[in-house]
Amino acid sequence: MTMLKNIQRSRFIAVCILFLFFIFDFHSHAATDVHKEESKLIIPIGAVLDLDSPMGSMADLCMTMAISDFYSAHPNYTTRLQLHPKNANTVLHANLAVVELLKDEDVHGVIGPQVSSEETFFTELGQKVHVPIISFTARTSALPYKQNSYFVRTTPDDAIQAKALATICKGFEWPEVAVLYEDTNYGNQFLSPVNKALQEVEIGLAYMIAIPKSADDNHLLKELKKLTTKQTRVFLVHMNPSLGYRLFTLAKGAGLMSEGYAWIITDSLSSFISSMDFDTRVSMEGVLGIKPYVSRSKDLESFQERWKRNMFMKNTSNPVMELNVYGLWAYDTVTALAMAVESIVSGNSTLVNVSRTTNGSDETILKISAFGPRLLEELSRTHFKGLSGDFQLVDGKLKPSTFEILNVIGTGEKTIGFWTPDRGIIREWSSIGETNYSTSTKQLRSITWPGDSITQPKGWAIPATGNLRVGIPWKRGYTEFISMTIDPTRKQPNATGFTIDIFLATLEALPFPVNYEFIDYNDTNNFNWSYDDMLHKIPEMFDVVVGDTTIWAPRATHVDFSLPYSESGVVLVVKNKKPFDMWIFVKPLRWDLWLAIFMSCILMGIVLRVLEHRVSSNGTDPMRAHNGRARTAYWSPVTALAFPERDMVSNNWSVLVLVFWLFMAFVLMQSYTANLSAILTVDQLKFAFSDNYFVGYQDGSFMKQFLIEQLHISESRLISYASADEYHDAMSLGSKNGGVDAIFDEIPYMKLLMNKYDSQYKMVGPTYKTGGFGFAFPVGSPLVSHFSKAILDVTQGPNMTAIEQKNFGPGYSSQDPLSSTISQQTSSLTLYEFAGLFLIIGSVTIIALFCSETTIGRKFTDKTAYFIHKYFYFMTSKNNLIDGASVDGDSVQSGVEKSHEFVQNNASVLASEEVINEHGIEETVQNGYEEIDETLSQVNYDDAAQNSGMQIDCNTERNS
């Protein structure tokens, strides 16, 4: 028994000794670890967060885990980050917290702020004390990076997100987008990049609705009801989660989450979808969104599991938010700071010293960090693979990353594609290797739209809660185009006329139904209205203006026009004054041309008298008396025109001169006839703008501005009228009696005026280009393209002529050419225009006189005729002789006799035609005989030589 007790006592003593040894060993290791930790260089970093908010609580845990994970993986590093978190739930608390951190905690960097309203003070303070302000929530900056280099954003810039959103809208071919944003610095700073991105892809920004952060449900419902009265059906939402969730819940109750609507959310909402409650998810079904893409990895999965355990063990009473990309950015921010600090301090701990500045006394105000600039520089060079993806800063912000395109469906979300800065929209992440930038949404997976619809919304619609407000002008004249009366029972305007018929026909051609109501502009007591004033009421009063509204460039700056449905152009109309008088027959030719013709006739008669004098003196025509031939020569230029079949001249040169004279006379007669026809059928424009003339134009039209600015007509010379009857009365009076002498207006109005008053007026001068009549819409309205296409269908259809003749009368057609009604000024023909013709006839006449009446000319003519005739009969004789010699000797003699006969005949011909004078005939004949003899001798010689050659050939053949 005693032995057993001794054994138990020995065991107890051994256990106690082992326990004491374990305690001693543990304390020794602990002391060693403490000593090692004390040897590490501590770098204080401040953090200003709202720890009572879900975002602040999530970010605080992520940063704490980042420090633990980093130094567990790098136990040999000589530096340690030490976070100094400050809780700040208001802007004032945040500002005080950052001052306290910089003044009392000697921090070399500050993580924060959490909200955008605190950024201005933080960045100015950091710039002053050279301490980097590092934000994992800020997406934009009010100042450029060069002016605010100490503000670092470890998030991608909102400009990248805006470009992704614009590409998606472009892919769906939505014409315009409405933006609903939170009325804070965060929301306001988003407007600039998204507006720029939409403009680059030619998508209109229809309107922007700012909603205060503290807006109650009544205010939200009021703003949502405005959306139902607009044509735009695509809404882009950029808000914080608490405000955005309430907006969608109320939007579903207001019917804005039904078929035909499209909603897109930015990552300010889509990054927190996993934290939404069930009712909010149901109300957001069909919404599209984008958020930064985070690729899956083992490190990320391990971190998510540990984060959930730590959040559960934290057992905080604050609302818990699911881990999202903002928590990952906070984690990577701390990791980047730890890497940068280690890179700086390793082997050079003296850089952590700080200097002080004072306000003139010895009291210390703020500390300017000597370590901050180096930390900022090293942080910009840090590059690693973080939990959120590649961490690399470019110009003080995170390098652009890929965005995930998602579709809220059921109680969750579905990834339908991706957007990358280099490749645009892609379907799968594996397709990142594509080379072309794609904007096609066909790359995306199937989408469920609001209202559980699979049909893509077209992006606009006629407001469901009201009719299309159609503005029509009230006017006193030209009711053929538009006329308005007030229905006494319903107190609503009834409109008729050509323009209204075109509008109603266009509505039938649209691919969708449109409910409309007419709203009149102007009243009977206001005569100073104008179409420009009416167009400026778009879209405040009207959704579209239907009337005889001219498409004009200055108006296109504030409205969009459809294609025209009428003729275009502005013309000048003057009274049709026929220039008939008793001397109208002389007007086709000017006085100088008449004088030239008269003088030509006299000179031509003298020339023909001179030429015919030689013929009459020879007495070759004994049947005609000498005096008679002289009178005939004088009157030949005139009588040849009336009696061209009579033989009035005998001299060949007279014939030549008379032929050219007849040609000139024919040209002059045809020109006279054509110009006289023009004078009798076309009006002469004899109107000039001067102080003696007044010009009329139509009430309310753009013509007054057009005449003053483009044609530079004095305003004091312009008088306005309302109808075709007033135009007619004013033109009948004339400027001297209080009326006008001309009217400037558009072609459709002027055609009605001339159709009504037949041929009393004429369109004259050039046509000034305008766009014609069209419908006016708000700038960027999607209705423009649909109405334009429908107008083409109507104006090019079979019913257009019927609509015109219904309003303008039988026979009217806009397809009629205007060439018959627009006259161009004609003028008398002048001598200069026929100078070339007179030069020709003068030259021929001079040549004829020279050759006929001068000794040199006659000799030249005789010799020329002699050589011509000699050539012809020589060539003929030679051919005949050669042909005869080749037959036999008798034929040669016959050819000689024929040649003698030929010479005699030619000599007699020459004598009869007076080409050779009587003294030269015998000599000519003798020369002819001598040449014939020489020719015959040559032929005989050639024949003898030929016979001799044949004989030699025969002798040679016999000898052989």
Side-chain angles (χ1 to χ4, degrees):
M1 189 67 180
T2 303
M3 185 178 296
L4 181 60
K5 291 181 178 179
N6 292 332
I7 294 172
Q8 291 177 349
R9 188 179 298 112
S10 300
R11 290 179 177 176
F12 176 76
I13 293 172
V15 171
C16 290
I17 294 172
L18 291 174
F19 179 75
L20 292 174
F21 179 78
F22 175 76
I23 293 297
F24 176 78
D25 183 70
F26 174 79
H27 279 282
S28 63
H29 280 85
T32 302
D33 292 339
V34 170
H35 179 71
K36 289 182 179 180
E37 288 297 326
E38 290 178 351
S39 64
K40 304 295 184 183
L41 184 60
I42 304 301
I43 306 298
I45 299 294
V48 181
L49 301 171
D50 183 4
L51 299 177
D52 297 330
S53 67
M55 171 72 86
S57 178
M58 176 192 66
D60 180 60
L61 180 57
C62 288
M63 289 190 293
T64 302
M65 294 179 64
I67 292 178
S68 175
D69 292 347
F70 183 80
Y71 291 113
S72 296
H74 305 89
N76 297 326
Y77 275 19
T78 60
T79 58
R80 289 292 185 271
L81 286 184
Q82 186 179 54
L83 285 179
H84 294 265
K86 292 290 183 180
N87 187 15
N89 50 17
T90 65
V91 176
L92 178 60
H93 290 161
N95 293 340
L96 293 175
V98 70
V99 172
E100 183 180 350
L101 287 170
L102 293 173
K103 185 177 180 180
D104 300 333
E105 303 294 342
D106 293 339
V107 297
H108 300 294
V110 177
I111 299 177
Q114 184 177 326
V115 294
S116 61
S117 57
E118 304 165 0
E119 291 176 6
T120 303
F121 182 77
F122 275 55
T123 54
E124 290 181 357
L125 197 59
Q127 193 79 15
K128 182 177 181 180
V129 298
H130 298 175
V131 172
I133 305 299
I134 307 160
S135 175
F136 62 88
T137 58
R139 306 298 296 274
T140 57
S141 177
L143 295 175
Y145 175 68
K146 293 182 179 179
Q147 301 179 18
N148 196 18
S149 58
Y150 281 88
F151 182 57
V152 179
R153 292 175 286 152
T154 57
T155 58
D157 193 81
D158 261 341
I160 304 301
Q161 180 180 203
K163 185 177 180 180
L165 292 168
T167 302
I168 295 172
C169 294
K170 180 69 173 180
F172 287 119
E173 298 181 353
W174 289 327
E176 58 184 12
V177 176
V179 177
L180 288 74
Y181 66 97
E182 181 181 317
D183 193 10
T184 59
N185 289 339
Y186 175 62
N188 293 325
Q189 291 174 357
F190 177 72
L191 294 180
S192 178
V194 75
N195 187 25
K196 181 179 178 181
L198 291 174
Q199 288 180 353
E200 289 178 352
V201 295
E202 299 181 349
I203 294 179
L205 185 57
Y207 48 87
M208 299 172 290
I209 298 179
I211 300 178
K213 185 177 181 180
S214 58
D216 56 14
D217 290 351
N218 291 331
H219 182 82
L220 291 175
L221 282 173
K222 181 180 178 180
E223 296 295 339
L224 289 172
K225 288 181 180 179
K226 293 180 181 178
L227 302 180
T228 61
T229 63
K230 307 292 185 179
Q231 295 180 5
T232 304
R233 290 293 184 264
V234 181
F235 308 114
L236 177 61
V237 181
H238 183 70
M239 298 177 181
N240 66 69
S242 60
L243 181 60
Y245 295 160
R246 289 194 296 121
L247 177 73
F248 279 102
T249 302
L250 296 174
K252 185 174 180 63
L256 292 172
M257 298 300 296
S258 57
E259 185 176 358
Y261 287 90
W263 291 81
I264 305 178
I265 57 176
T266 64
D267 64 355
S268 62
L269 285 176
S270 58
S271 296
F272 302 94
I273 288 180
S274 58
S275 301
M276 291 190 305
D277 56 35
F278 177 79
D279 293 336
T280 303
R281 288 185 182 181
V282 172
S283 66
M284 293 181 64
E285 186 171 4
V287 172
L288 293 183
I290 64 171
K291 65 179 181 180
Y293 174 65
V294 179
S295 59
R296 307 303 300 178
S297 64
K298 293 182 179 179
D299 292 339
L300 178 59
E301 294 175 357
S302 174
F303 175 77
Q304 289 174 331
E305 293 177 358
R306 291 186 292 111
W307 185 87
K308 290 180 180 179
R309 289 198 303 268
N310 292 337
M311 181 60 74
F312 178 77
M313 294 174 61
K314 194 174 182 180
N315 193 22
T316 178
S317 59
N318 297 328
V320 178
M321 177 181 289
E322 292 291 336
L323 179 65
N324 57 38
V325 70
Y326 286 95
L328 301 182
W329 284 334
Y331 184 96
D332 290 343
T333 299
V334 173
T335 302
L337 282 171
M339 295 176 65
V341 166
E342 179 65 25
S343 178
I344 296 171
V345 176
S346 179
N348 192 2
S349 60
T350 58
L351 291 175
V352 193
N353 296 333
V354 295
S355 60
R356 298 178 182 273
T357 182
T358 61
N359 60 357
S361 64
D362 294 334
E363 181 183 359
T364 301
I365 299 179
L366 289 175
K367 301 173 182 179
I368 298 179
S369 176
F371 185 74
R374 185 64 187 275
L375 177 62
L376 181 66
E377 180 182 357
E378 191 63 35
L379 192 62
S380 64
R381 292 201 294 259
T382 302
H383 183 198
F384 64 95
K385 181 72 172 180
L387 293 181
S388 63
D390 288 335
F391 184 95
Q392 183 179 2
L393 298 179
V394 178
D395 293 335
K397 54 184 177 290
L398 194 64
K399 183 180 179 180
S401 59
T402 301
F403 280 87
E404 177 184 353
I405 307 174
L406 56 92
N407 183 205
V408 180
I409 181 171
T411 57
E413 59 183 275
K414 180 180 73 171
T415 300
I416 59 175
F418 301 90
W419 178 90
T420 68
D422 300 329
R423 301 293 177 260
I425 298 174
I426 56 177
R427 180 184 181 91
E428 301 288 348
W429 182 247
S430 59
S431 61
I432 192 66
E434 297 178 356
T435 58
N436 296 326
Y437 188 89
S438 172
T439 61
S440 174
T441 53
K442 295 180 180 179
Q443 303 277 351
L444 303 177
R445 296 184 177 90
S446 60
I447 302 174
T448 300
W449 299 97
D452 198 24
S453 173
I454 60 174
T455 303
Q456 174 190 324
K458 57 184 177 181
W460 65 273
I462 301 300
T465 58
N467 297 326
L468 188 70
R469 301 171 299 169
V470 181
I472 54 176
W474 182 93
K475 53 191 303 183
R476 294 182 292 122
Y478 283 110
T479 56
E480 297 89 347
F481 287 92
I482 188 165
S483 176
M484 187 190 64
T485 57
I486 302 298
D487 189 345
T489 58
R490 297 184 299 171
K491 302 296 183 182
Q492 292 182 350
N494 291 329
T496 58
F498 172 71
T499 298
I500 300 301
D501 290 342
I502 292 292
F503 174 70
L504 297 178
T506 301
L507 293 182
E508 296 179 358
L510 290 175
F512 49 84
V514 175
N515 298 323
Y516 64 92
E517 60 176 339
F518 288 130
I519 302 176
D520 63 298
Y521 181 79
N522 188 26
D523 55 56
T524 57
N525 297 323
N526 183 11
F527 294 98
N528 294 323
W529 74 285
S530 69
Y531 281 84
D532 289 335
D533 296 336
M534 180 173 60
L535 295 178
H536 279 95
K537 297 297 182 180
I538 299 174
E540 176 186 353
M541 184 182 297
F542 311 120
D543 296 317
V544 56
V545 166
V546 173
D548 46 348
T549 309
T550 302
I551 302 173
W552 195 35
R555 295 173 175 174
T557 58
H558 53 273
V559 295
D560 281 349
F561 286 101
S562 66
L563 290 178
Y565 59 85
S566 73
E567 301 165 274
S568 62
V570 173
V571 293
L572 174 65
V573 171
V574 296
K575 203 165 184 178
N576 191 4
K577 298 179 180 179
K578 296 292 184 179
F580 294 154
D581 55 55
M582 62 182 297
W583 299 104
I584 192 174
F585 69 92
V586 301
K587 289 187 177 181
L589 306 181
R590 207 171 69 175
W591 65 268
D592 56 346
L593 186 55
W594 280 116
L595 181 62
I597 294 175
F598 179 74
M599 296 300 296
S600 298
C601 289
I602 296 176
L603 293 176
M604 194 61 59
I606 295 174
V607 169
L608 292 177
R609 176 69 183 90
V610 171
L611 293 175
E612 290 297 310
H613 175 71
R614 291 182 56 80
V615 177
S616 60
S617 63
N618 292 334
T620 57
D621 190 6
M623 301 297 296
R624 182 178 300 174
H626 175 74
N627 294 334
R629 291 182 58 82
R631 288 195 299 270
T632 301
Y634 278 124
W635 290 102
S636 289
V638 179
T639 56
L641 301 177
F643 308 102
E645 71 281 359
R646 295 189 59 182
D647 186 14
M648 299 178 180
V649 293
S650 299
N651 192 345
N652 291 333
W653 291 109
S654 299
V655 173
L656 177 65
V657 171
L658 197 57
V659 167
F660 276 88
W661 163 253
L662 291 176
F663 172 73
M664 184 182 74
F666 177 78
V667 173
L668 290 173
M669 285 190 297
Q670 293 299 322
S671 301
Y672 175 87
T673 303
N675 206 27
L676 181 61
S677 299
I679 292 175
L680 294 175
T681 57
V682 181
D683 289 341
Q684 299 295 313
L685 175 58
K686 298 180 179 179
F687 181 81
F689 295 114
S690 66
D691 293 339
N692 297 325
Y693 290 89
F694 287 88
V695 179
Y697 68 95
Q698 190 177 166
D699 278 341
S701 71
F702 72 101
M703 288 307 306
K704 181 177 181 180
Q705 184 180 356
F706 175 83
L707 294 174
I708 294 174
E709 295 181 357
Q710 297 194 24
L711 298 186
H712 307 292
I713 302 176
S714 174
E715 185 176 358
S716 61
R717 300 289 114 194
L718 303 178
I719 304 176
S720 64
Y721 300 97
S723 63
D725 293 334
E726 293 185 10
Y727 276 156
H728 175 66
D729 295 339
M731 293 284 282
S732 300
L733 292 174
S735 296
K736 296 181 180 179
N737 299 317
V740 295
D741 288 321
I743 299 171
F744 258 112
D745 213 334
E746 296 182 82
I747 290 176
Y749 300 122
M750 295 297 94
K751 288 183 69 174
L752 286 181
L753 175 67
M754 290 186 296
N755 286 343
K756 187 173 183 179
Y757 295 100
D758 198 14
S759 60
Q760 297 186 41
Y761 301 100
K762 279 290 184 180
M763 295 181 186
V764 293
T767 301
Y768 299 92
K769 292 296 183 181
T770 59
F773 297 156
F775 302 149
F777 297 85
V779 175
S781 174
L783 291 175
V784 175
S785 59
H786 292 278
F787 268 83
S788 296
K789 184 180 183 302
I791 286 173
L792 286 178
D793 295 337
V794 172
T795 55
Q796 298 179 4
N799 297 327
M800 184 63 182
T801 302
I803 294 175
E804 290 176 335
Q805 296 183 1
K806 170 190 172 184
N807 295 280
F808 303 139
Y812 183 95
S813 176
S814 60
Q815 306 300 323
D816 290 341
L818 297 176
S819 58
S820 60
T821 59
I822 298 180
S823 63
Q824 304 296 330
Q825 184 173 358
T826 58
S827 60
S828 301
L829 299 175
T830 65
L831 174 62
Y832 178 78
E833 294 163 345
F834 293 91
L837 191 60
F838 279 95
L839 287 176
I840 293 175
I841 188 64
S843 301
V844 172
T845 301
I846 292 173
I847 292 174
L849 289 173
F850 174 79
C851 294
S852 177
E853 301 303 322
T854 64
T855 305
I856 299 175
R858 286 196 297 271
K859 289 183 179 181
F860 175 77
T861 303
D862 293 343
K863 289 186 177 294
T864 302
Y866 166 72
F867 284 112
I868 292 175
H869 281 276
K870 179 179 178 182
Y871 174 78
F872 278 110
Y873 72 69
F874 172 74
M875 292 302 296
T876 304
S877 301
K878 181 178 179 180
N879 291 336
N880 291 335
L881 292 175
I882 293 175
D883 292 339
S886 61
V887 177
D888 52 25
D890 295 336
S891 62
V892 172
Q893 184 62 32
S894 175
V896 173
E897 295 176 356
K898 290 182 180 180
S899 298
H900 284 277
E901 182 181 358
F902 174 76
V903 173
Q904 293 176 356
N905 292 336
N906 278 277
S908 61
V909 170
L910 293 174
S912 64
E913 294 183 356
E914 298 183 350
V915 177
I916 305 174
N917 55 41
E918 58 261 13
H919 299 288
I921 293 176
E922 183 177 355
E923 180 181 356
T924 302
V925 173
Q926 183 64 34
N927 292 335
Y929 279 118
E930 293 177 357
E931 291 184 2
I932 292 173
D933 293 338
E934 293 178 359
T935 302
L936 291 176
S937 300
Q938 183 67 31
V939 169
N940 293 330
Y941 174 77
D942 293 340
D943 187 47
Q946 185 178 2
N947 293 334
S948 175
M950 293 176 60
Q951 186 176 3
I952 293 173
D953 291 339
C954 294
N955 294 330
T956 303
E957 183 179 357
R958 185 181 300 111
N959 293 329
S960 61

